[in-house]
């Protein structure tokens, strides 16, 4: 019996959790898939973000249809409502939804303001804030959004290469980040005007620390709630454990991690435009994943974006360019 097998045997015998470098410890099983391209309820035109409420209902931003759709956990349409144009990021805070909005899309002739909006879960607009620009409280293609337990709203201000923080009413509190590749900087290996440099999506852990994805650099960064850099990790290698590999459809040249979520065991699940959905410790140790082959079949992806995880270990992944949501169940190995 070699050392690896011995460790696994002891883990089973004594209930240890072993995260060996060469032995994935977690995967996921496909449960169901729903959605296709279109405008009818249950159909999508480039879905982007996903969030779960306390009842386990699923909210999805339907970017080019300018709406949010609500489903039960098995994909049954429950409701849909119009929102401000070009919704992307979404998070649930109590009985409210926080959304981010791009200023332009291929479906619109005129630009609209970059902004954050707040809706009730039945679709009533409560407030909005922000405009296009580089000043405090202004945005340039905002991406992911997250709300802390204390009510601070963290927004990934993608092309401005920073995270901005607000209170629930939209009052600007603080910001951090700039163009570069050092810890605390974002997207310094791509054009300063490109939103793919990030920060792209943002997530908070139970301690309030902030995790961001950074597509062009292929890394995840961790910050204190005040913006102090704590950790940075990730590579653009095109293999399990890396965030590399080009999105192959439509002659696009996209690469890197996008969506990020944490499961009940404190593990990070991260989507990459290569089609992979992978699991890591918060320190960056690869634990496993799924979706190594891009495509349109169930369990495959074309540029997965938003990801959300229920307390029961159900993973909901927005399969953006396949215009659908796929639901998985975490499988411990």
């Amino acid at each position: 019996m070699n050392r690896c097998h011995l460790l696994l045997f002891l883990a089973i015998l004594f209930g240890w959790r072993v995260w060996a470098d060469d032995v994935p410890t977690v995967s996921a099983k496909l449960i169901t898939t729903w959605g296709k391209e279109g405008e009818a309820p249950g159909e999508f035109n480039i879905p982007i973000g996903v969030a779960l409420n306390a009842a386990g209902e699923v909210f999805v931003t339907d970017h080019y249809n300018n709406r949010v759709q609500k489903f039960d956990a098995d994909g049954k349409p429950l409701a849909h409502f119009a929102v401000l144009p070009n919704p992307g990021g979404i998070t649930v805070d109590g009985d409210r939804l926080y959304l981010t909005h791009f200023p332009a899309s291929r479906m619109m002739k005129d630009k609209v303001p970059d902004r954050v909006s707040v809706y009730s879960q039945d679709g009533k607009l409560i407030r909005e804030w922000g405009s296009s620009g580089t000043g405090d409280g202004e945005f340039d293609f905002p991406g992911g959004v997250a709300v802390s337990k204390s009510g601070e709203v963290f927004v990934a201000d993608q092309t401005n290469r920073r995270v901005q923080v607000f209170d629930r009413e939209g009052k600007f509190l603080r910001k951090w980040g700039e163009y570069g590749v050092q810890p605390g900087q974002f997207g310094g290996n791509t054009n300063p005007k490109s939103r793919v440099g990030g920060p792209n999506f943002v997530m908070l852990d139970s301690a309030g620390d902030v995790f961001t994805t950074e597509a062009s650099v292929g890394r995840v960064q961790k910050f204190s709630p005040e913006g102090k850099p704590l950790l940075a990790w990730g590579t653009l290698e095109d293999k399990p454990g890396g965030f590399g590999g080009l999105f192959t459809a439509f002659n696009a040249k996209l690469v890197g991690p996008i969506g990020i979520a944490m499961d009940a065991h404190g593990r990070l699940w991260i989507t990459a435009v290569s089609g992979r959905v992978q699991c890591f410790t918060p320190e960056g140790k690869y634990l496993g994943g799924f979706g190594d082959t891009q495509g349109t079949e169930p369990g495959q992806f074309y540029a997965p974006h938003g990801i959300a995880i229920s307390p029961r270990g159900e993973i909901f992944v927005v399969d953006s360019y396949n215009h659908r949501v796929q639901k998985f169940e975490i499988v411990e190995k």
Side-chain angles (χ1 to χ4, degrees), residues 19-236:
W19 288 337
D21 291 338
D22 57 348
V23 181
T25 63
V26 67
S27 185
K29 177 178 69 175
L30 179 66
I31 301 301
T32 189
T33 295
W34 73 85
K36 63 179 181 178
E37 186 172 7
E39 300 178 354
E43 298 176 345
F44 301 102
N45 193 344
I46 307 294
I48 299 293
V50 59
L52 308 178
N53 67 9
E57 295 166 331
V58 184
F59 293 86
V60 181
T61 51
D62 191 1
H63 187 74
Y64 289 130
N65 284 328
N66 297 324
R67 66 184 179 184
V68 167
Q69 297 200 62
K70 177 183 174 182
F71 303 88
D72 71 12
D74 297 315
K76 177 184 176 181
L78 299 176
H80 64 276
F81 52 88
V83 297
L84 295 171
N86 312 321
I90 183 171
T91 194
V92 173
D93 177 45
D95 61 353
R96 297 182 178 183
L97 304 173
Y98 285 74
L99 313 178
T100 62
H101 302 265
F102 283 6
S105 77
R106 59 177 169 81
M107 306 292 286
M108 296 180 60
K109 182 175 68 174
D110 300 319
K111 292 186 69 173
V112 294
D114 299 79
R115 55 192 153 182
V116 172
S117 67
V118 185
Y119 285 82
S120 66
Q121 291 191 18
D122 60 1
K124 178 183 177 181
L125 178 62
I126 296 171
R127 70 176 54 87
E128 60 178 286
W129 71 81
S131 60
S132 300
T134 60
D136 294 347
E138 297 177 338
F139 304 104
D140 195 349
F141 284 85
V145 56
V147 182
S148 72
K149 296 176 183 177
S150 63
E152 292 186 333
V153 182
F154 295 75
V155 180
D157 190 6
Q158 295 183 122
T159 312
N160 280 329
R161 301 292 191 264
R162 64 188 182 184
V163 174
Q164 294 199 71
V165 187
F166 305 84
D167 68 14
R168 285 190 174 105
E169 308 301 313
K171 178 184 176 182
F172 173 81
L173 300 177
R174 59 187 179 277
K175 64 185 177 182
W176 72 83
E178 61 184 359
Y179 180 75
V181 296
Q182 298 301 312
Q185 300 177 331
F186 299 101
N189 64 339
T190 191
N191 189 306
K193 299 298 183 182
S194 171
R195 64 181 173 84
V196 302
N200 301 109
F201 275 54
V202 60
M203 184 214 77
L204 308 178
D205 66 13
S206 59
D209 289 329
V210 184
F211 291 80
T212 62
T213 54
E214 198 174 349
S216 69
V217 181
R219 70 178 173 181
V220 171
Q221 294 198 65
K222 178 182 178 181
F223 301 89
S224 72
E226 292 73 37
K228 178 183 177 181
L230 301 176
L231 196 64
W233 54 266
T235 76
L236 284 174

Side-chain angles (χ1 to χ4, degrees), residues 204-324:
L204 308 178
D205 66 13
S206 59
D209 289 329
V210 184
F211 291 80
T212 62
T213 54
E214 198 174 349
S216 69
V217 181
R219 70 178 173 181
V220 171
Q221 294 198 65
K222 178 182 178 181
F223 301 89
S224 72
E226 292 73 37
K228 178 183 177 181
L230 301 176
L231 196 64
W233 54 266
T235 76
L236 284 174
E237 293 182 281
D238 185 7
K239 67 177 187 179
F243 296 123
L246 290 174
F247 172 43
T248 58
F250 317 118
N251 295 315
K253 294 184 178 179
L254 302 176
V255 67
I258 303 293
I260 181 169
M262 180 171 280
D263 67 20
H265 299 286
R267 300 171 298 203
L268 300 177
W269 292 82
I270 300 169
T271 66
V273 295
S274 65
R276 292 188 177 99
V277 180
Q278 301 180 102
C279 184
F280 301 85
T281 69
E283 295 74 33
K285 179 180 284 294
Y286 173 66
L287 301 177
F290 54 96
D292 282 341
T293 302
Q294 297 184 54
T296 61
E297 296 298 316
Q300 297 179 332
F301 301 97
Y302 271 149
H305 275 59
I307 180 170
I309 305 174
S310 76
R312 297 191 302 271
E314 300 163 322
I315 303 177
F316 299 84
V317 181
V318 175
D319 190 6
S320 293
Y321 284 85
N322 280 325
H323 310 283
R324 65 186 181 185

